[in-house]
Structure formats: structure tokens, C-alpha cells
Amino acid sequence: MDIINTRLLSQQLNATQLKTPAEVVGWMAAIQAQDYRMMRWAVAMRMKNPSLAAFEKAYNQGDIVRIHLMRGTWQLVTREDLPYWIALCGKRSAAVIKGWMNANKISISEEEIQKVRTIMASLMHGRRNVMKAEIAETLQSQGMGMDDHRVSYHIRFAEVEGWICSGDLDKTKPTYCLVEEKIGPLPQVDETEALERLTRKYFMSRGPATMEDYMWWSGLPKTLCQQGLAMIADELNVVNINNDSYYIHNTCRHRGAKKGGVLLLPPFDEYLIGYKSRYHALKPEHTAFAHTNNGIFYPIVAVNGKIVGNWKPTSKDGEITLFEHDVDCCRESLDTAFTQFSLAKKGKAADSKR
């Protein structure tokens, strides 16, 4: 089994079948969105015709939203999936956030949370673009001044409870709005149904993958991941490689990826962050080029699915550098990949590799 080729197809990084940002995010279940600017490319590059303008439209009208969820970190999710992931991951993410607070010796009472929520609700009512700085200023004016970290914790708790989400897209800074006003009241869903839904979507979009990969990505305990796998067992094939069991959804494609394909991946892309073990795509000796030990991921270059270099999205020519020198890739292919990224930023059709 060619793990790299199948993952490229599953992740819609080659021979994509998806046309809209909502289709991409829905297929992936959630897309890591730590980097506010480059999360747009993480979605766009998985579309038949990559366009950051299409991303902005979908984001502003609430087809997709940015919110703290799995592992207490930022993700993009669809409006349809949001109630499921809140039901399954919300309380667990809140526990992760409380762990960070305890480590920093910060305590927030329920009384404080309710007071802050009242102030935030009044500030956000009827608006789609409230920034964190404005929240902090308003709290200060209401006699509840606090430092930046404490404001962040209040925002995160409000997100994991499904109370606020991303507002309209800004060039550089996140905005916030009320979920009820942007998406509508979230329906109550069953946690068991949500677990089955998440497990299916994960292995459809990231297979072949191990249970340990799924546990890492979802942040769910082993017992729940085992339950999820049992729920969809009749949809999965299992292949043992190097004493590890890889699960492959029966809908996974195995043909369609093009040889010689160059991908300019954004920081925190699901191609790496979607798995606990990344050695299939990234040589252990090159790990420092892709991410730090404390979880900061860099923009990376993949050729035929192998991570071989870095690039700079903000530069005029991409400043593409290769740390793996035995690469079957010409300069023209690298330049073409950056041209596609540049066209997508301008909102123009860019289907050169599709």
C-alpha cells in the first residue's frame, strides 16, 4: 500500500473532488486554523479552483467558522458540523483550557464568567466584527479590566461552549460574533452520533491512519476512539505495517495522484498535523524544518508527498528553499506552484495542478 499517495488523495491535495470551501472543510471534519492568514490557503489549495476570495465569502456568510475546539486549539468547521463537535469536544476542550490556566496560576470564577458574558453579549449584539482589543476595552470601561491572557481565556470558554464564533474575515486580526446571530441556535445532538460522525470523517479524509493518529488529532480518550472505530468497523479495511494497524475507509481512493506534484503547504497544515506519527512524509532528521518541539509549524514544500523544503508566503517569489537535495523536481515546477498561490490570493482561477 502506498500510504503517501493514498493520503494525498484522501486529503484532497491531489486530484481533488471538491469545489467550495464548505465542501473542503466539511470533508476534512475540521482544519487546523492556528495561522489566521494561511488557514485560507489550507482550504483553497484543496479546491478544484483555489480562491481566497471564495474562502472569504464562505467565511463571512457562516458556511465555515473558526473556533477553539479539538485539543483546545483553533479549527475551521462547517455550520452543519459545529453542533456535533461542540457536543463531543466542547467540555473536553474546556478542561484542556483549565489545565493551561492552572499551569499559569490563573483562576476564573463562574460569577466572573457570567459578568463577562453579559458585557460581551451587549457588545456583540447585531455586529459581525468585534475584535479582542475592543472586548478588552469594553471590559475595562465596565470595571472589569484584565490582562490579555485572561481575556483570551474568556473568549475560548465562550467558543467551546458554542456561544461565540468567528465574525467577518479581517486581513490580519480575528473578529468575533454571536453564534446565534451568525449561524442560529445550535440544535442539541447526541454525543454518540457525533462520535460516529467524527470518526467516519477522520478516516475518510486522512486514511490510511492509525488509532493513535486519530487519538492525537481529535484529543479524545482512547476508550472513545475505540468506540468510534467499532461503530464504523464494517466501513474500514485494516493493513498492518511495521506492527502498526492502519485503517482505510472503504471509500478511499488509491489512484489519481500525479507524480512530480509540488505542494506549498501552509503552517499547521493537516497533512502533518493530522497525524501523530509523521515519518511517512517527513524524515526524522528534518523535523526541525517543519515544526518546533512546542508545536509551532512552518510553511513547507512537499514533492510527491515528501516534505523537502520551506517557503515564505509573504515574499514576492516564495523564497523556496530545499533541505532535501535529492529531489526529482525542477525550478519551473516550484515557481508554478507559487504562481498558483499568488493567483488564488488575487481571487483568480488557478487550476494548473488540478
Side-chain angles (χ1 to χ4, degrees), residues 147-221:
D147 64 27
D148 185 72
H149 288 297
R150 201 175 190 89
V151 174
S152 292
Y153 287 131
H154 276 288
I155 290 173
R156 293 181 186 188
F157 281 131
E159 288 179 309
V160 300
E161 292 175 17
W163 192 72
I164 67 172
C165 66
S166 55
D168 288 344
L169 193 69
D170 182 76
K171 287 185 177 181
T172 59
K173 295 182 179 180
T175 69
Y176 302 92
C177 68
L178 299 173
V179 166
E180 187 170 21
E181 293 187 357
K182 187 167 190 177
I183 295 177
L186 297 184
Q188 294 294 316
V189 298
D190 180 69
E191 183 177 310
T192 302
E193 183 182 355
L195 176 61
E196 180 177 349
R197 185 183 181 101
L198 185 69
T199 307
R200 178 177 292 110
K201 287 197 173 202
Y202 177 81
F203 286 99
M204 288 177 68
S205 63
R206 290 167 181 80
T210 66
M211 188 181 73
E212 288 73 22
D213 290 328
Y214 181 42
M215 288 171 56
W216 148 254
W217 178 82
S218 67
L220 297 175

Side-chain angles (χ1 to χ4, degrees), residues 7-23:
R7 282 184 176 177
L8 288 171
L9 292 165
S10 296
Q11 289 224 10
Q12 306 295 323
L13 287 170
N14 258 321
T16 181
Q17 299 175 319
L18 308 176
K19 296 180 180 179
T20 70
E23 286 177 339

Side-chain angles (χ1 to χ4, degrees), residues 272 277-291 293 306-307 323-324:
L272 281 188
S277 179
R278 301 166 183 133
Y279 68 89
H280 296 289
L282 177 67
K283 290 182 180 180
E285 61 265 32
H286 293 152
T287 297
F289 291 102
H291 60 83
N293 289 333
K306 296 287 188 178
I307 307 305
F323 49 73
E324 178 64 67

Side-chain angles (χ1 to χ4, degrees), residues 105-123:
K105 298 181 179 180
I106 295 175
S107 177
I108 298 177
S109 68
E110 185 62 30
E111 180 183 9
E112 180 179 318
I113 288 176
Q114 293 308 315
K115 287 182 178 179
V116 170
R117 292 284 173 88
T118 298
I119 294 171
M120 288 172 63
S122 178
L123 173 65

Side-chain angles (χ1 to χ4, degrees), residues 70-71 87-93 95-96 191 195 198-199 211-229:
M70 296 154 197
R71 309 182 307 279
L88 182 61
C89 305
K91 291 181 180 179
R92 293 178 176 88
S93 293
V96 170
E191 183 177 310
L195 176 61
L198 185 69
T199 307
M211 188 181 73
E212 288 73 22
D213 290 328
Y214 181 42
M215 288 171 56
W216 148 254
W217 178 82
S218 67
L220 297 175
K222 185 175 182 178
T223 52
L224 272 185
C225 290
Q226 290 173 327
Q227 290 176 30
L229 281 170

Side-chain angles (χ1 to χ4, degrees), residues 226-260:
Q226 290 173 327
Q227 290 176 30
L229 281 170
M231 290 175 184
I232 64 167
D234 60 346
E235 303 173 28
L236 298 173
N237 299 308
V238 185
V239 176
N240 292 312
I241 301 176
N242 298 328
N243 297 318
D244 290 322
S245 295
Y246 287 81
Y247 296 90
I248 310 166
H249 197 270
N250 57 26
T251 61
C252 280
R253 295 176 292 158
H254 300 280
R255 295 182 180 179
K258 299 177 182 178
K259 293 295 183 182

